[in-house]
């Protein structure tokens, strides 16, 4: 696995997009989980980027049942595991 990009704010997405590459993972946390409803933004992701969203943040915003295909909800424990497996972690 290449890089794990942790995005916690929608406003930081343009900066993050410049460094995302195939094989990377993008984890949406905090208010950034609302991006799961923004198909236009999701279409900007490079091909081959795995999109993850923190399950507790989805639940807190009533989005758990609204995940589009291709978005995987993960637990806090899975987040830690994903972080440990990544070659690099970048927090936005």
């Amino acid at each position: 696995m290449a890089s794990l990009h942790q995005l916690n704010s929608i406003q930081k997405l343009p900066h993050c997009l410049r460094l995302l590459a195939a094989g990377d993972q993008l984890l949406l946390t905090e208010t950034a989980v609302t991006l799961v409803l923004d198909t236009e933004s999701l279409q900007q992701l490079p091909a081959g980027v795995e999109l993850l969203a923190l399950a507790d943040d989805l639940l807190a915003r009533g989005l758990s049942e609204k995940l589009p295909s291709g978005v995987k909800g993960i637990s806090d424990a899975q987040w830690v595991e994903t972080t440990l497996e990544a070659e690099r972690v970048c927090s936005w």
Side-chain angles (χ1 to χ4, degrees), residues 26-39:
L26 175 60
L27 172 62
L28 305 175
T29 66
E30 300 177 22
T31 60
V33 297
T34 60
L35 284 170
V36 300
L37 301 177
D38 186 349
T39 55

Side-chain angles (χ1 to χ4, degrees), residues 17-84:
L17 285 173
R18 290 187 285 213
L19 296 178
L20 275 172
D24 287 350
Q25 293 177 305
L26 175 60
L27 172 62
L28 305 175
T29 66
E30 300 177 22
T31 60
V33 297
T34 60
L35 284 170
V36 300
L37 301 177
D38 186 349
T39 55
E40 187 175 316
S41 291
L42 296 181
Q43 290 174 350
Q44 295 178 45
L45 297 178
V49 170
E50 182 180 13
L51 186 57
L52 309 169
L54 197 58
D56 285 343
D57 290 336
L58 290 166
L59 182 63
R61 288 159 182 84
L63 299 174
S64 296
E65 303 300 320
K66 299 177 182 175
L67 285 182
S69 63
V71 179
K72 179 181 173 186
I74 64 170
S75 67
D76 287 348
Q78 290 170 308
W79 178 14
V80 171
E81 185 178 311
T82 302
T83 302
L84 294 173

